[in-house]
Structure formats: structure tokens, C-alpha cells
Amino acid sequence: MISHRNIWNAIDALAERKGLSVSALARAAGLDSTSFNPSKRTSKDGRERWPSTESLAKILDATNEDMDSFLAGGGVYTQPDVHESPIPLLGFAQAGTGGFFDSGGFPVGHGWDEVHFPVGPDANAYALEVSGDSMLPLYRDGDVIIVSPSEQVRRGDRVVVRTQDGEVMAKILHRQTANQIELHSINPEHEPRIIKSMDLDWIARILWASQ
């Protein structure tokens, strides 16, 4: 299971293997030199901050490192057997139709495909294939995201939301009250969305993206 500590340890280990500081590693990947500083790893209120999948992709590309060796450096796993971790896969368009989820947003029914995921997410996790451009450049059309309906969602989390009328979207949870949720996109061309609680079918946290 990937943890906050594992990911940051993996970044530190990668920098050390390449003879770089974490600041130099960030610069080599075209990122701000402070991107991986220890002060960026938790917020002022103590909340864990995770590096984006885009940042990870850039440092892997800059160092010619593959994901397996990167994660192994953080102590996640050494010799994964992808055949032991299949999880359900569905496209956004199918997710908007009936019969694939229960009232809590957990996968049910038939018609799901499968994708092999080596890290071993929780037993309730599933995968969705992204469509649309509201989360560019973080998630592109066709990317696969790993989603958990059992994880608690908090402000700032990347989430998948399904409305009562079947609209499915990947967004950032900006604010949630008893009456409504406010969702933001990374792509500035998309305006924030406010959805009334009575119109919300379910919301699930995005754990990871396979790009």
C-alpha cells in the first residue's frame, strides 16, 4: 500500500541515487526548486501533502527511472506480481449509467473490465478511465484513475463525483457543507461547480493515477 511516507521516501531515495539534492532533482525535472522540500510535505495544520502524479512523471522522465524501482526505493514493494491485484475498471460514460454502483458508490453488478494494479489498494478500490479535459494537465483523456469510495474525503482532495442524473466528473473538492459541495477543476477554462447535496449520488477519493 502506498503511503505518504513511502512516496516522499522514494523521492529522497531517487535524489540520493542520482547524487542530487531534492531541490536539484526538482530543477532537473523542470519544477520549482522547493517542490520537494520537507516544508512542503505537510500543511501548517498538519495535513499530509502529496506530490502530484505530474510531478512524479517529470522526475521519472528526467532521471530515466521506472515506477517499479522508484517505489521500491521508498519501501513500497520490490517484486510486485501484477496478476495478484486485478481491480474493476469502467469508463466515465459507463459509470454514468445505472447498474454499476450501489448507493454508497461501491462497484456492483456485471460489465466491468479489469486492470492490474501492482501496489495493492484497499479491497473496495476500482479504476475509472478519464474522459474530458477539466483536469488537464493533471489527468488527460484516457488516463486511468484509482478510486476508493471507503476513504474519507476532505477539502483539497481530488475526487470523483456522480450526480443523481448520472453525470460523472473528476474534480477537486473545494468545500463541502450539509447542503452542497463546491468542486473546482485544474483546467482554468472550466468554472467551479456547486452541487446540492440532494443532487449528489456519491463522492469518492482519487488515490492514484496510471498515466
Side-chain angles (χ1 to χ4, degrees):
M1 183 72 177
I2 292 178
S3 69
H4 178 262
R5 178 179 293 180
N6 288 147
I7 287 296
W8 286 112
N9 284 349
I11 290 173
D12 290 339
L14 174 60
E16 185 176 353
R17 286 198 302 276
K18 303 301 178 180
L20 301 170
S21 66
V22 290
S23 296
L25 176 63
R27 288 195 298 271
L31 303 170
D32 185 278
S33 61
T34 65
S35 297
F36 303 137
N37 284 4
S39 61
K40 295 291 185 73
R41 303 181 185 189
T42 55
S43 61
K44 292 182 179 179
D45 60 3
R47 185 181 174 195
E48 295 177 344
R49 287 179 172 172
W50 293 66
S52 71
T53 52
E54 182 184 14
S55 295
L56 295 181
K58 286 184 176 180
I59 61 173
L60 295 181
D61 182 61
T63 57
N64 293 316
E65 189 94 355
D66 61 41
M67 183 61 76
D68 286 355
S69 58
F70 171 74
L71 291 175
V76 178
Y77 65 101
T78 54
Q79 292 181 330
D81 184 354
V82 297
H83 299 293
E84 294 183 356
S85 303
I87 60 175
L89 170 67
L90 199 66
F92 264 34
Q94 288 176 291
T97 62
F100 291 103
F101 299 95
D102 65 15
S103 59
F106 291 82
V108 295
H110 303 287
W112 289 79
D113 201 345
E114 283 188 347
V115 62
H116 294 290
F117 192 66
V119 181
D122 68 67
N124 298 309
Y126 57 89
L128 293 174
E129 185 174 345
V130 174
S131 61
D133 62 358
S134 70
M135 294 292 277
L136 285 174
L138 185 61
Y139 305 140
R140 301 180 297 273
D141 191 80
D143 284 346
V144 173
I145 55 177
I146 309 301
V147 177
S148 174
S150 59
E151 288 280 335
Q152 181 180 2
V153 295
R154 297 174 294 183
R155 182 173 182 173
D157 282 344
R158 296 159 189 159
V159 297
V160 171
V161 170
R162 188 182 191 274
T163 65
Q164 292 286 358
D165 62 6
E167 184 181 5
V168 178
M169 64 196 87
K171 298 289 183 181
I172 296 172
L173 179 61
H174 182 72
R175 187 166 179 263
Q176 184 173 22
T177 69
N179 299 317
Q180 65 184 30
I181 62 171
E182 182 178 344
L183 303 169
H184 286 195
S185 300
I186 291 179
N187 188 338
E189 295 182 4
H190 290 257
E191 296 291 330
R193 291 282 302 273
I194 295 178
I195 300 175
K196 294 181 179 179
S197 297
M198 61 182 296
D199 297 326
L200 179 66
D201 188 4
W202 50 257
I203 181 170
R205 183 181 171 194
I206 298 173
L207 299 180
W208 197 251
S210 176
Q211 299 176 304

